[in-house]
């Protein structure tokens, strides 16, 4: 949705045409759900959380001043809702999101594999591959998964991702890189066992 | 400066996002021309991103949108938002 339309919509909602909030939120439904899912990793929790986040956005719409993009503001609300649910689930005493640091205990080097570049489009169409990716994303450590979901799933830019998560852009880049490399590494063995050996596009033996 | 593989891996993500400077980009591309392993890693990572952005990979629960708008409709009907009170 064009931002000018959005600004107009918000003004009209605030002036009393509250039904228009349905239209305002529609382009972002998917984003809100995926943000929640990226944090709570559970469909039912994500859906409940998405509803709460949308309602919270409605109730607090007057506090949206247009300093950030509406999508970024809404994402931040969704993240807060997700974190609240995660804290509740893990117990109020422990907040693993805040405690996790960008440590070096994990190996972030990619897995070398020459098969990948020969993977034809139909392989990307396979359901098992999608499933493997879903599982791999769900299993990423929280801080990496959150950045990955905002950047590569919701396609926010680095600045927006940093703003939504209240971290600096440098941390976004580092976490994103590590998330991508971890996924690459996770999916390589999967492909090795399911993709038949073949000759490459340029006739190279693999 | 000649880049080694490890150096290229460290910048793959930024290379994909096009946030490396022109000189480093050129060096990476030069390396990629000759290194099948790094090219494969780059393609693998790109494929994962394509797959991630594909709507079929991360699907919404069936009926999600309908339930969301029903819940919202109830909220709109029953409550006066803060901005009306201000």
């Amino acid at each position: 949705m064009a931002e000018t339309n959005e600004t107009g919509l918000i003004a009209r909602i605030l002036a009393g045409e509250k039904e228009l909030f349905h239209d305002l939120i529609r382009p972002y439904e998917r984003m809100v759900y995926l943000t929640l899912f990226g944090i709570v990793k559970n469909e039912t929790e994500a859906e409940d959380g998405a509803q709460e986040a949308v309602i919270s956005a409605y109730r607090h719409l007057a506090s949206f001043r247009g300093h950030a993009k509406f999508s970024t503001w809404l994402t931040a609300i969704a993240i807060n809702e997700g974190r609240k649910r995660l804290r509740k689930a893990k117990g109020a005493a422990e907040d693993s999101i805040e405690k996790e640091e960008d440590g070096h205990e994990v190996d972030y080097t990619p897995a070398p594999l020459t098969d990948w570049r020969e993977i034809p489009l139909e392989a990307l169409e396979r359901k098992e591959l999608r499933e493997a990716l879903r599982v791999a994303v769900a299993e990423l450590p929280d801080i990496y998964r959150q950045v990955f979901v905002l950047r590569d799933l919701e396609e926010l830019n680095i600045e927006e991702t940093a703003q939504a998560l209240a971290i600096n852009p440098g941390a976004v880049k580092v976490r994103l890189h590590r998330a991508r490399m971890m996924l690459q590494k996770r999916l390589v063995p999967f492909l090795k066992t399911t993709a038949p050996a073949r000759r490459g596009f340029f006739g190279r033996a693999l | 400066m000649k880049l080694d593989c490890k150096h290229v891996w460290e910048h793959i993500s930024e290379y994909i996002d096009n946030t490396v400077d022109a000189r480093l980009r050129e060096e990476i591309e030069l390396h990629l021309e000759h290194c099948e392993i790094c090219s494969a890693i780059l393609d693998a990572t790109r494929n994962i991103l394509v797959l991630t952005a594909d709507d079929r990979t991360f699907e919404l629960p069936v009926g999600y949108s309908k339930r969301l708008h029903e819940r919202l409709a109830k909220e709109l009907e029953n409550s006066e938002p803060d901005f009306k009170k201000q």
Side-chain angles (χ1 to χ4, degrees):
Chain A
M1 185 183 293
E3 269 176 66
T4 44
N5 278 347
E6 215 165 71
T7 310
L9 261 184
I10 292 169
R12 287 173 65 188
I13 295 163
L14 291 174
E17 291 180 74
K18 53 187 188 180
E19 291 299 320
L20 290 176
F21 193 78
H22 285 284
D23 300 330
L24 178 66
I25 219 73
R26 210 161 268 125
Y28 304 114
E29 287 171 18
R30 180 178 166 79
M31 188 195 82
V32 172
Y33 174 82
L34 292 174
T35 302
L36 261 299
F37 188 77
I39 298 172
V40 298
K41 298 192 282 183
N42 169 297
E43 278 196 15
T44 315
E45 271 288 297
E47 178 164 349
D48 289 351
Q51 291 186 0
E52 286 304 321
V54 165
I55 284 171
S56 175
Y58 170 66
R59 289 181 183 161
H60 296 100
L61 191 61
S63 69
F64 172 70
R65 304 282 183 216
H67 298 313
K69 280 164 73 180
F70 179 71
S71 59
T72 311
W73 182 75
L74 184 59
T75 303
I77 291 177
I79 289 168
N80 282 338
E81 178 64 30
R83 287 179 170 175
K84 210 165 76 188
R85 281 167 186 267
L86 203 59
R87 270 197 297 271
K88 216 182 267 176
K90 288 186 176 174
E94 180 201 15
D95 187 350
S96 71
I97 298 165
E98 312 305 332
K99 281 181 186 164
E100 271 181 73
E101 282 163 22
D102 295 307
H104 294 276
E105 70 285 0
V106 189
D107 180 9
Y108 301 106
T109 53
L113 169 78
T114 44
D115 304 23
W116 247 111
R117 67 174 325 170
E118 329 299 348
I119 288 185
L121 281 174
E122 57 262 32
L124 289 175
E125 290 295 314
R126 286 202 315 259
K127 275 187 182 168
E128 309 89 82
L129 186 52
R130 294 178 198 285
E131 178 58 25
L133 179 57
R134 278 195 292 271
V135 171
V137 170
E139 286 176 2
L140 285 175
D142 289 346
I143 61 168
Y144 302 124
R145 192 181 57 259
Q146 288 172 17
V147 169
F148 179 78
V149 165
L150 294 183
R151 269 291 285 142
D152 289 335
L153 191 47
E154 298 178 18
E155 299 175 325
L156 268 57
N157 65 32
I158 291 190
E159 201 53 52
E160 290 162 351
T161 305
Q163 224 179 331
L165 289 169
I167 57 178
N168 66 58
V172 171
K173 285 188 193 172
V174 170
R175 291 178 192 185
L176 183 64
H177 176 70
R178 290 175 178 175
R180 287 170 171 176
M181 291 306 107
M182 282 189 254
L183 291 177
Q184 192 264 0
K185 209 169 205 170
R186 272 294 305 273
L187 291 179
V188 160
F190 172 85
L191 284 156
K192 270 186 172 164
T193 55
T194 55
R198 70 184 80 229
R199 281 191 170 264
F201 293 135
F202 309 109
R204 282 190 311 260
L206 297 172
Chain B
M1 185 184 80
K2 207 165 181 301
L3 290 183
D4 59 20
C5 292
K6 201 161 178 285
H7 200 138
V8 171
W9 298 344
E10 280 167 12
H11 291 98
I12 276 185
S13 192
E14 289 178 284
Y15 177 79
I16 289 173
D17 289 341
N18 208 3
T19 54
V20 290
D21 64 48
R23 193 165 154 216
L24 182 56
R25 185 165 196 89
E26 207 172 295
E27 285 170 2
I28 291 173
E29 272 158 15
L30 203 65
H31 179 98
L32 289 171
E33 275 176 29
H34 303 287
C35 181
E36 279 197 31
I37 292 174
C38 286
S39 300
I41 290 169
L42 178 68
D43 287 350
T45 310
R46 277 194 173 133
N47 281 337
I48 288 171
L49 301 189
V50 167
L51 206 58
T52 300
D54 187 322
D55 285 356
R56 289 168 300 173
T57 303
F58 292 89
E59 288 176 324
L60 302 182
V62 177
Y64 160 75
S65 179
K66 188 169 169 280
R67 290 188 293 274
L68 176 69
H69 284 277
E70 281 169 359
R71 171 93 197 272
L72 185 59
K74 267 187 212 154
E75 169 71 19
L76 297 184
E77 208 177 294
N78 297 331
S79 72
E80 290 289 306
D82 287 348
F83 53 81
K84 296 272 280 191
K85 293 174 197 154
Q86 283 164 5

